[in-house]
Amino acid sequence: MPRILIATIATVLVAFAAPTHAQTDYMGNLSANPYAGPKRTYPDGTFDNPYGTSGTSPKLYDSEGGFRGNLNANPYDPDSVANPYGRYGSEYSPDSITNPYGQYGSRYGAESPNNPYGQGLRVYR
């Protein structure tokens, strides 16, 4: 009986701990490294949508499943990498891919899309 209870609890914990992007489509990595991951083709307008929102844009995630912003060109989307005042688009935010001194924007950050030798960030639809 204890084995069944432990298995049930483990199953429930795994279901709640799964990243939110697990149910969506993996689109590849956003990276300056030409050898990082499989190359994918994207439909026109995928990343340069000026009207993109959290519901319509591809999303960036780090290797631990942490959300790193919406990949669109909407400067008014609070989670967009194009919002110069937002958490993921400001050149001063530590979580932004546009901060040249931050973990995700530096040329030297392991997961930075700007690092020509790194893996970059994962893109999910």
Side-chain angles (χ1 to χ4, degrees):
M1 185 70 121
R3 285 186 185 173
I4 295 173
L5 180 60
I6 291 171
T8 303
I9 290 172
T11 303
V12 170
L13 289 175
V14 168
F16 283 112
T20 56
H21 58 77
Q23 310 270 323
T24 59
D25 185 32
Y26 174 67
M27 299 177 73
N29 285 8
L30 180 65
S31 176
N33 183 346
Y35 305 107
K39 294 298 171 212
R40 307 217 180 188
T41 57
Y42 308 107
D44 287 341
T46 299
F47 304 118
D48 57 355
N49 182 358
Y51 306 108
T53 63
S54 291
T56 62
S57 301
K59 294 164 182 38
L60 292 173
Y61 289 90
D62 61 22
S63 63
E64 295 179 2
F67 178 69
R68 296 292 159 216
N70 294 330
L71 205 50
N72 63 41
N74 184 351
Y76 302 107
D77 176 4
D79 292 331
S80 175
V81 297
N83 182 342
Y85 304 106
R87 176 178 178 183
Y88 304 109
S90 169
E91 65 181 304
Y92 304 107
S93 171
D95 297 323
S96 173
I97 64 170
T98 62
N99 179 347
Y101 305 106
Q103 177 180 357
Y104 301 105
S106 165
R107 283 186 44 103
Y108 308 104
E111 293 185 279
S112 172
N114 303 317
N115 180 347
Y117 304 106
Q119 290 300 307
L121 294 170
R122 294 181 179 120
V123 180
Y124 290 87
R125 186 83 170 155

